[in-house]
Amino acid sequence: MSLKKHILDLRKRKEQVEKGGGDKAIEKQVARGKQTARNRILALLDKDSFTEYDLFVEHEARDFGMDKKQLHGDGVIIGTGTIYGAPICIYAQDFTVEGGSLGLMHARKITKIMDHALKMRVPIVGINDSGGARIQEGVNALAGYGEIFYRNTMASGVIPQISVILGPCAGGAVYSPALTDFVFVVDNISKMFITGPGVIESVLGEKISMEDLGGARVHAETTGNAHFFADSELECFDQIKKLITFIPWSNTKRAKTFPPKPPKFKGNIEDLIPSDPRQPYDVRDVIKAIVDDSDFFEIQELWAANIVIGFGRLNGETVGFVANQPLVLAGVLDCDSSDKAARFIRYCDAFNIPIVTLEDMPGYLPGVDQEHAGVIRHGAKVLYAYSEATVPKVTVILRKAYGGGYIAMNSRHLGADFMFAWPTAEIAVMGPEGAANIIFRKEIEEAEDKDAMRAQKVEEYKEKFANPFVAAAKGYIDSVIEPSETRDLLLHAIEVSAHKEDHRPAKKHGVPPF
Ligand code: HXC
């Protein structure tokens, strides 16, 4: 055969395989509001940057009629490309081919691109659209997922791992994402569950829709499994692209720096906080008043909203923000917000991203529900994560810093490098009302006018402790600052800690309260 004929033959073969499960299956996919796996990759990566590998891989299963089936590419596309010029390894499962289910060869393709990403020290993006382990392939399919989980774990903290859920994903197709750093979901398209509604009905006799069992909102708002929620696949891809601009390619690199930009916010930062300490406000407004271009990229916005986490830039450099949110539950730490904060702190620490903590919270949430849900174990994760982190750590106490909250939110005692407090800061073991009721109980009980005595004792306690000066006198905070000085001091703190070195005792690893 002439070279020309060889080329024509190659093109024909490619065209055939690129059709995945065929026209009918693609029609079905599109009718569900979903793009094909190939189009998803092309939409996410820089134009003309995608190079595909293993296009001609075929499955090797023989049982349950599989010997008569040809599965193009074995239901997954893998390759390399770029996002804003940053190198990326990527795979996308193809639901049109046997429901994107994972057999042995499908798994080998994914592990090949994961190995490549780890070796090259570049981020990996996995687009999941799969019914999980391919039932017909039995233990081979389970083995495939085991090999993926192992690699997810090995790559954790070394390269960024990003998961996109773009279809009904079951079993391993959700456990692998759960091991990765960021999970993206799209309304009406993403579903995540260990077992689908069909299995639940046959085993438990319960009928439930896919959406109610594990739709995008369930995971963005209730379980916290998803970090980003979008209304469409294209919006989701824009979110991924934006995330890529904030994070480094690997744990040995720094995130890309951008030209510094002043915040767009032009008002007075002190006006953002009500003068009545019981009035709530949106801490995101404070962050936006501080960061470059007022551009704050929030993570897990819809879950555990009593804490706010996300990325912003200071003088062009990526910084991770952890901030109590007085708008929700007064910004308390509870089980979920502790998990949310602790994991993000560990992410920033693993990837050389300085952490800025903005504090305004009355402590850990009391109550039977929280105690029985394990607030001791969950809350301890925050203590552990801050103490363990060796990246630059800066805290600004805006208002309340009570009790465990004062310690937990990156206090000097857990290793904060810089501690600033606004003059409105109240640093005490608990709120003045609670404190006065306990330590002046006798005086209040014996007083003729109990309310007047209580008010007087609350005032006394406030004057003594509910201010930043007692902590400043002991050096627990470094500076009491005017709110308008905050950005400049943070820029300075980040600048002077650029070469921070902080070593921990040699150990295999710690045993955090997972
Ligand atoms: C083989 C599968 C499959 C699977 C789907 N298909 N999942 N084939 N193995 N796991 C096939 C279907 O037979 C169908 O083929 C096509 O994909 C599309 O599936 P539908 O059911 O028509 O689509 P839909 O109604 O949208 O439902 C999607 C679904 C459902 C919710 C994913 O298919 C489902 O519940 N599948 C099983 C999920 C599951 O329990 N997987 C095992 C997980 S165990 P045809 O030829 O009809 O088009 C696991 C082990 C890891 O993953 C454990 C981790 C610790």
Side-chain angles (χ1 to χ4, degrees), residues 446-512:
E446 285 165 7
E448 255 178 47
D449 185 343
K450 292 185 178 42
D451 288 343
M453 178 60 85
R454 184 177 293 112
Q456 182 197 324
K457 292 297 177 194
V458 166
E459 261 329 291
E460 269 177 37
Y461 189 84
K462 258 191 200 168
E463 236 169 75
K464 176 96 181 111
F465 285 118
N467 63 67
F469 299 104
V470 179
K474 295 176 192 311
Y476 294 155
I477 54 175
D478 303 311
S479 266
V480 182
I481 64 169
E482 293 190 26
S484 59
E485 296 176 291
T486 308
R487 176 174 157 90
D488 284 346
L489 285 169
L490 288 177
L491 294 184
H492 177 75
I494 299 299
E495 192 185 353
V496 298
S497 40
H499 303 287
K500 179 181 174 188
E501 280 204 31
D502 192 3
H503 300 287
R504 297 288 179 258
K507 54 181 155 180
K508 187 172 172 191
H509 56 67
V511 188

Side-chain angles (χ1 to χ4, degrees), residues 32 95 98-99 101 131-136 142 145 149 168 170-172 175 193-196 199 210:
R32 290 173 161 181
F95 196 80
E98 205 72 7
S101 59
R134 186 173 297 147
I135 296 161
Q136 300 92 322
L142 298 179
Y145 265 125
F149 302 159
Y175 266 120
F193 26 71
I194 295 174
T195 46
V199 177
M210 274 201 229

Side-chain angles (χ1 to χ4, degrees), residues 368-437:
V368 177
D369 286 352
Q370 282 295 305
E371 296 289 354
H372 288 194
V375 72
I376 297 172
R377 175 165 46 89
H378 291 280
K381 295 177 196 181
V382 181
L383 307 173
Y384 194 104
Y386 271 127
S387 303
E388 177 193 49
T390 56
V391 288
K393 299 184 286 189
V394 191
T395 299
V396 185
I397 302 176
L398 308 180
R399 216 167 54 169
K400 301 184 189 96
Y402 295 160
Y406 159 70
I407 309 169
M409 293 302 289
N410 192 39
S411 61
R412 161 68 18 87
H413 323 290
L414 301 187
D417 299 302
F418 302 91
M419 289 291 303
F420 302 119
W422 287 7
T424 39
E426 300 174 20
I427 303 168
V429 173
M430 60 174 70
E433 284 76 13
N437 275 333

Side-chain angles (χ1 to χ4, degrees), residues 318-335:
T318 297
V319 168
F321 280 85
V322 180
N324 306 119
Q325 173 58 290
L327 268 190
V328 181
L329 292 172
V332 289
L333 277 175
D334 57 6
C335 294

